[in-house]
């Protein structure tokens, strides 16, 4: 039997982006899939999607899994590695059917682990002819500025912010450059 829907990491990115645009709207936000960690941060977990929600102190780091087992039981890459991720809000995402089946079989171990660690849970499921995402639980915010943990993210975000501000009629003044 062939699968009707592709739940690869890449296919889950777009519905999650649409969800974040609805839930955390901003004129100065950017999405960066498969961001590279900056030099000196090699031991950290690489998220599959980053979203800077209007401020460098609103960085959402999202790790995506296509199976419940990989998410819960893979110590190197799963939920346990999220303590090594950098962001103000840490999320994991997986297909809704995988989440439901895993929670039924393993007595809500993923939900409890995420809750204990302050990690939010997203699910992706079929809707109409495509995929849709929803929030199962929200993460706890970690204060700080984590944008520089990712290669070129601050510059990319500033370009978007400056361009959008200029379109709004604001003059861009960089007080911090020589």
């Amino acid at each position: 039997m062939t699968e009707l829907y592709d739940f690869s990491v890449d296919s889950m990115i777009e519905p999650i982006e649409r969800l974040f645009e609805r839930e955390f709207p901003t004129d100065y936000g950017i999405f960066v899939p498969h961001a590279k960690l900056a030099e000196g941060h090699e031991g950290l977990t690489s998220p599959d999607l980053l979203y800077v929600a209007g401020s460098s102190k609103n960085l959402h780091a999202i790790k995506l899994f296509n199976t419940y087992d990989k998410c819960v039981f893979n110590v190197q890459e799963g939920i346990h590695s999220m303590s090594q991720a950098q962001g103000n809000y840490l999320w994991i995402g997986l297909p809704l059917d995988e989440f439901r089946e895993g929670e039924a079989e393993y007595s809500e171990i993923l939900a409890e682990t995420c809750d204990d660690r302050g990690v939010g849970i997203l699910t992706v499921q079929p809707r109409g002819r495509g995929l849709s995402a929803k929030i199962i639980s929200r993460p706890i915010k970690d204060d700080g500025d984590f944008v520089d943990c990712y290669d070129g993210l601050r510059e990319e975000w500033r370009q978007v912010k400056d361009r959008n501000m200029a379109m709004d009629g604001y003059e861009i003044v960089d007080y911090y450059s020589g």
Side-chain angles (χ1 to χ4, degrees):
M1 181 173 164
T2 58
E3 292 288 325
L4 289 176
Y5 294 94
D6 172 23
F7 286 107
S8 67
V9 167
D10 287 335
S11 70
M12 291 192 284
I13 288 175
E14 183 189 347
I16 290 173
E17 286 178 354
R18 289 192 314 263
L19 170 73
F20 274 66
E21 287 172 342
R22 285 189 314 268
E23 293 289 322
F24 310 102
T26 177
D27 289 336
Y28 312 117
I30 63 166
F31 291 98
V32 180
H34 309 295
K36 302 281 186 249
L37 288 164
E39 202 171 308
H41 292 94
E42 291 83 16
L44 302 176
T45 296
S46 295
D48 295 302
L49 180 63
L50 296 174
Y51 176 51
V52 182
S55 163
S56 63
K57 296 187 180 175
N58 282 320
L59 175 62
H60 296 260
I62 305 148
K63 185 77 176 164
L64 301 172
F65 303 94
N66 51 14
T67 68
Y68 186 92
D69 285 351
K70 184 174 183 181
C71 184
V72 174
F73 301 115
N74 185 326
V75 177
Q76 301 301 318
E77 297 176 23
I79 181 60
H80 301 290
S81 73
M82 285 305 286
S83 61
Q84 299 298 313
Q86 299 295 295
N88 301 104
Y89 302 94
L90 302 178
W91 300 86
I92 56 137
L94 67 162
L96 179 61
D97 286 346
E98 286 287 322
F99 177 74
R100 286 180 177 160
E101 288 173 24
E103 289 300 279
E105 188 172 345
Y106 296 107
S107 300
E108 300 182 0
I109 192 171
L110 176 60
E112 290 173 8
T113 303
C114 287
D115 196 39
D116 290 345
R117 295 174 185 219
V119 175
I121 302 173
L122 304 167
T123 59
V124 177
Q125 63 275 337
R127 183 171 185 166
R129 293 185 182 191
L131 297 174
S132 178
K134 71 177 188 176
I135 296 172
I136 300 296
S137 65
R138 293 183 181 267
I140 296 172
K141 184 175 185 180
D142 185 7
D143 290 326
D145 186 336
F146 299 96
V147 172
D148 292 324
C149 294
Y150 300 97
D151 195 28
L153 183 57
R154 185 171 301 278
E155 292 77 28
E156 189 174 342
W157 173 68
R158 276 192 177 149
Q159 287 175 359
V160 168
K161 184 180 72 144
D162 291 351
R163 182 185 65 231
N164 288 350
M165 288 180 76
M167 287 173 40
D168 291 341
Y170 294 101
E171 182 179 343
I172 310 304
V173 179
D174 189 356
Y175 292 104
Y176 302 106
S177 294

